[in-house]
Every structure is written in structure tokens, then in C-alpha cells.
Amino acid sequence: MKDFETDVLEQYHIEVKGTRKTRGAILCDTDRGMLLLKELTFSEKRVPLLYKLCHQLEEKGHGLVDTIVPNKEGEYVTSAPDQTKYILKRWYGGRECDVRNEEELCSATANLAYLHNLMAGADVLEEGTVVREHDLKEEYQRHNRELRKVRTFIRNKVGKGEFELLYLKEFEEQHALGEAVVRKLETDHYETLRQKSKTEHTWIHGDYNYHNVLMTYRGVATTNFEHFREDIQMADFYYFLRKVMEKCQWNGRIGNMLLETYDKGKTISREELDYLAVRLAYPEKFWKVANSYYHSNKAWIPEKSVEKLQISIAQTEKKNQFLKDLFSFLL
């Protein structure tokens, strides 16, 4: 263990028995169980709110969350001698949810529904706190503008490669999908759901994917709530479902299984189902690859980028069939 790590850990009421590195953090075996020392990578102002959220989840019965551990001074953030800031969190022995294991996918989905029930109406904010609202229409409008910006850049580029030619070939169809989604959001139940989430103070994890779900001998542990926010809870399920479906080639049977699993734990309304279908319809993967290309060194396009673009295009037809079969949804 390095000196700075020792300096930080000495500021806690713990006895460290051993440490090891793990994906940008230090896993610590202590007299208080397994803990994770991690550099602070988000706003320090959000840390007390994050602690409050996880602590409330524990009090409501979900004991397997990575709640921040206060230091000897009762503070949630600890500074190293070089002023780098750290947080220490509870951690769990286990492994990430296996996207190829249907039983684990169902467990992760049931866990999300359970979390959403506990997070509905959570008292997290301090009085007078201003909440930054998330507007999906604005986000998708911005993404569509970025898609057009990439097209303009490529059109003006001399010496187009495989990536650029493929992007221009597929742009019209993908952009049309993006525009159709925005129109659907403007005429659908989105605004009603959004207002309802504000009135009922529904919170979401903000980054619920199989990397942040640990399968342990004690049950399912949920980690990395750093992106939590007040929002439509179906946004969490959309993100989890999309990531799984991309890995599973938009397998309708698996998608239906996860929908039914979530619905058993937390009933999905007709409005929420429409919201889910609209979000899945957006060409997110195509935009992500294009955005990455635009902000990269375009003098040399990695073969991996071409491959990702090809996959996003190839999966469009499968995704559209998935939406038609499960949601009877057509744009």
C-alpha cells in the first residue's frame, strides 16, 4: 500500500488487515468488513446527499448498498497530503451480474424494482436545494443537432474513409428515427410522467447496469449511486434493458422476461410502457459512436470505431422488430 493510501485510511476508525487494487480503487479488508477507497470523481456538494440516500435505503431494508463511511471527524470526504479527495464506501464480496445468465438478469431486474419502491418519495434534499431538471426532449434534440454536425463535417472532409462513407450512407435513416422520437415525446405522455416524478419525488440510480450490480452470498448488492437524481424511474429500467438487449442481440424472449420481472415488483403503467418504447427507439448507439468520432483524433479512425458503427446499424432492424413484437410500437 502506498504512503498516501495509508495517510488517508489512518483518518478512519478502522483496522486495515490488507489491501489490493481493483479497477481504479483500493479494496480494503478491515475489522468493519470489506471497504472500498476511491478517489472522488463527482461534485463534493453531492456527497452528503449520496450518503443520505444510501443510509435511507439501509434503514428501509436494503442493506446491500455502498454507503459512504464517515472519517474520524465525521466527514464524508477525506483529503490526502497532496489534497486529492477520497471517499470510503462499504463493499461486498461478489461478482458483477453476468449478462449471459438469465437468472442473474432477473435478480438484477427484481432488485431494481425493489430499489425504485424504496426510492419513491425519498427525503434526500436539504430545504432550499435547487434540483437541476433533466429534460429528455432537450437531450435528444441536442443529440440530433450533433448528428447533423457530424454529417456536415464529414461532407466537407477530403479523403473519406470507411467510417465516414458508412456514416453518410446511414445518416438519413438514423436521424429520421431521432427526429421521430422527439415528435413522439412532444405528443405522448412524457410531460405528464415528468411532472408526476417531480410531485412524488421519485429518485433513480442514474447508472444502473450489470457492472454496478454485484451477486453476493447475501443477495444482490447495488453500487455506484453517484449519478442519482430525481427523475422518471423507468429511465433506470430503460438503461438497464437497453444495455442487456445490445449484448443479447435484442432477443425478444429475454426482453419480455425482464419486463415481466420488473412489473411483478413494481407495476408498469401504460404511460411508462410508452415512455420505455420511445426511449428504446432512439438511435442511442449510433449517436454515441458518432459523438465519439467527432471528439477524437480524426486523422486515424480505429478499426474498432468502424466495427461499433457497423454493429449499431446492424442492430437497428433487430431493435425495431423487438419494439414491434413487445410493444406493438412503430414510429
Side-chain angles (χ1 to χ4, degrees), residues 156-317:
N156 295 330
K157 184 180 179 183
V158 177
K160 299 174 181 58
E162 185 179 1
F163 182 97
E164 288 87 1
L165 292 172
L166 182 58
Y167 182 87
L168 291 178
K169 179 175 180 290
E170 299 295 331
F171 169 82
E172 292 297 341
E173 180 181 346
Q174 301 290 336
H175 180 260
L177 276 174
E179 291 289 288
V181 166
V182 170
R183 289 194 298 272
K184 186 73 173 172
L185 285 172
E186 290 172 342
T187 58
D188 220 331
H189 307 287
Y190 170 64
E191 200 58 44
T192 302
L193 281 176
R194 190 172 170 222
Q195 291 304 317
K196 184 181 179 183
S197 74
K198 289 166 60 178
T199 302
E200 298 180 357
H201 300 292
T202 57
W203 293 83
I204 69 171
H205 180 282
D207 192 25
Y208 195 86
N209 59 60
Y210 40 85
H211 298 302
N212 294 328
V213 178
L214 302 180
M215 300 297 162
T216 81
Y217 74 94
R218 292 171 56 191
V220 179
T222 314
T223 66
N224 298 322
F225 284 80
E226 286 87 344
H227 297 281
F228 78 98
R229 66 177 186 269
E230 206 175 70
D231 203 346
I232 299 167
Q233 290 187 322
M234 193 51 52
D236 266 343
F237 184 55
Y238 148 73
Y239 182 61
F240 179 76
L241 183 63
R242 178 175 67 80
K243 298 292 282 186
V244 171
M245 288 297 97
E246 286 174 352
K247 292 288 186 181
C248 298
Q249 299 296 311
W250 295 94
N251 184 310
R253 182 184 60 79
I254 294 175
N256 190 57
M257 177 181 68
L258 298 186
L259 272 168
E260 290 180 351
T261 300
Y262 184 92
D263 188 58
K264 285 178 183 176
K266 187 176 186 296
T267 303
I268 303 174
S269 68
R270 179 71 250 179
E271 292 79 12
E272 288 174 322
L273 204 61
D274 289 345
Y275 167 88
L276 180 61
V278 170
R279 291 216 63 175
L280 288 169
Y282 190 82
E284 189 78 23
K285 193 78 172 179
F286 186 82
W287 165 80
K288 189 175 181 181
V289 175
N291 193 53
S292 177
Y293 160 84
Y294 189 75
H295 292 96
S296 66
N297 176 12
K298 291 175 279 295
W300 177 74
I301 308 301
E303 188 174 326
K304 194 72 176 175
S305 295
V306 178
E307 183 182 329
K308 286 180 178 179
L309 185 63
Q310 291 170 335
I311 291 172
S312 74
I313 294 165
Q315 287 196 351
T316 298
E317 186 175 342

Side-chain angles (χ1 to χ4, degrees), residues 94-109:
R95 54 180 177 73
E96 294 180 359
C97 172
D98 184 355
V99 74
R100 296 164 298 184
N101 186 315
E102 294 181 13
E103 184 177 341
E104 291 188 8
L105 288 176
C106 285
S107 295
T109 302

Side-chain angles (χ1 to χ4, degrees), residues 1-190:
M1 186 164 58
K2 296 180 180 178
D3 290 341
F4 78 87
E5 295 162 3
T6 302
D7 290 335
V8 172
L9 290 172
E10 284 178 348
Q11 298 181 57
Y12 291 87
H13 289 294
I14 57 173
E15 178 187 335
V16 180
K17 302 174 182 178
T19 64
R20 63 182 175 87
K21 288 186 177 181
T22 174
R23 194 180 288 177
I26 305 296
L27 193 62
C28 308
D29 180 19
T30 79
D31 60 338
R32 294 178 59 181
M34 198 175 295
L35 302 173
L36 190 76
L37 182 67
K38 187 176 181 181
E39 185 176 339
L40 183 65
T41 56
F42 57 99
S43 171
E44 190 171 348
K45 293 179 181 178
R46 285 173 57 85
V47 175
L49 304 181
L50 175 59
Y51 171 82
K52 193 174 180 181
L53 173 66
C54 290
H55 184 62
Q56 285 184 19
L57 288 173
E58 287 182 319
E59 288 184 326
K60 291 178 179 180
H62 196 305
L64 302 182
V65 291
D66 58 338
T67 307
I68 294 172
V69 177
N71 60 25
K72 292 177 180 178
E73 303 299 322
E75 297 173 343
Y76 304 122
V77 178
T78 303
S79 297
D82 65 356
Q83 298 308 305
T84 302
K85 297 181 185 297
Y86 291 87
I87 54 175
L88 186 68
K89 308 191 295 181
R90 290 180 185 165
W91 207 250
Y92 307 93
R95 54 180 177 73
E96 294 180 359
C97 172
D98 184 355
V99 74
R100 296 164 298 184
N101 186 315
E102 294 181 13
E103 184 177 341
E104 291 188 8
L105 288 176
C106 285
S107 295
T109 302
N111 178 65
L112 179 60
Y114 178 53
L115 271 176
H116 282 168
N117 284 322
L118 297 182
M119 293 167 75
D123 180 22
V124 176
L125 298 177
E126 303 295 334
E127 188 175 348
T129 303
V130 177
V131 178
R132 182 182 177 186
E133 296 182 18
H134 178 252
D135 189 330
L136 187 61
K137 286 185 294 185
E138 289 183 0
E139 178 184 328
Y140 283 166
Q141 285 169 341
R142 184 175 68 254
H143 286 355
N144 291 343
R145 287 195 299 271
E146 288 163 348
L147 288 174
R148 294 193 293 272
K149 186 188 295 184
V150 173
R151 179 188 59 173
T152 300
F153 173 83
I154 290 176
R155 277 178 167 176
N156 295 330
K157 184 180 179 183
V158 177
K160 299 174 181 58
E162 185 179 1
F163 182 97
E164 288 87 1
L165 292 172
L166 182 58
Y167 182 87
L168 291 178
K169 179 175 180 290
E170 299 295 331
F171 169 82
E172 292 297 341
E173 180 181 346
Q174 301 290 336
H175 180 260
L177 276 174
E179 291 289 288
V181 166
V182 170
R183 289 194 298 272
K184 186 73 173 172
L185 285 172
E186 290 172 342
T187 58
D188 220 331
H189 307 287
Y190 170 64

Side-chain angles (χ1 to χ4, degrees), residues 311-325:
I311 291 172
S312 74
I313 294 165
Q315 287 196 351
T316 298
E317 186 175 342
K318 294 178 182 177
K319 183 176 72 170
N320 290 342
Q321 188 62 47
F322 172 86
L323 292 169
K324 182 180 178 182
D325 292 343

